[in-house]
Amino acid sequence: MKVLSVLRVGLLALAALIGAVSMASAADGSISIRIVKAGFVVGGSAGDGVLTFQGRKYPLSVGGLSYGFTFGASETRLHGTVRNIRRPSDVSGVYAQGGAGAALGKGAQVVVLTNQNGAILELGGEQKGVIVSLDLSGLALSLK
């Protein structure tokens, strides 16, 4: 019984060490993206961007769909930080969100999103256009 307890504590310590080492190897980068969105009930978005990671620039493609109440069109430019990535391809994936918003002319945007690779986008920027939305949406980023 005592051997099992010591073994269990040893395994927990090893798991904690592995987790700490993997988190230590994660790095941050910066990102800029431009998204054009339009829709009537079902919306679509497309755009492009640039990831800057460890001194290199990587072009990005942006796409997405939304479903709910969406009416209008807008262009959004976002800039910010990508956290918890080990390599540029970690930023690729689907970022899901639900939200409500409206823009008439210009409006500010702030968003924090996470994908299946653990990449965290912290973005802020400006939205231009005429759009009203209450929807669920998915944003897909990929390296070009």
Side-chain angles (χ1 to χ4, degrees):
M1 189 76 158
K2 199 172 197 178
V3 173
L4 288 176
S5 293
V6 170
L7 186 58
R8 186 177 305 141
V9 169
L11 287 174
L12 288 173
L14 181 61
L17 179 63
I18 291 170
V21 168
S22 68
M23 288 301 287
S25 65
D28 296 345
S30 64
I31 190 167
S32 296
I33 58 176
R34 182 184 68 86
I35 304 166
V36 176
K37 181 177 182 179
F40 181 73
V41 181
V42 176
S45 59
D48 55 18
V50 175
L51 167 68
T52 304
F53 182 66
Q54 297 179 339
R56 294 189 59 200
K57 294 185 182 295
Y58 301 89
L60 299 171
S61 291
V62 180
L65 290 174
S66 62
Y67 182 77
F69 176 75
T70 301
F71 179 75
S74 68
E75 177 184 23
T76 305
R77 293 183 183 269
L78 299 168
H79 310 281
T81 303
V82 180
R83 300 197 186 284
N84 197 38
I85 59 174
R86 289 171 190 79
R87 56 192 164 276
S89 60
D90 286 346
V91 77
S92 295
V94 176
Y95 299 82
Q97 73 176 33
L104 178 60
K106 287 185 178 183
Q109 291 284 319
V110 177
V111 66
V112 176
L113 303 168
T114 303
N115 74 1
Q116 72 278 5
N117 298 323
I120 302 166
L121 302 181
E122 298 172 350
L123 304 170
E126 179 178 275
Q127 183 177 26
K128 297 177 188 175
V130 177
I131 192 163
V132 176
S133 65
L134 175 61
D135 59 18
L136 296 173
S137 59
L139 178 70
L141 290 180
S142 60
L143 294 175
K144 285 186 181 179

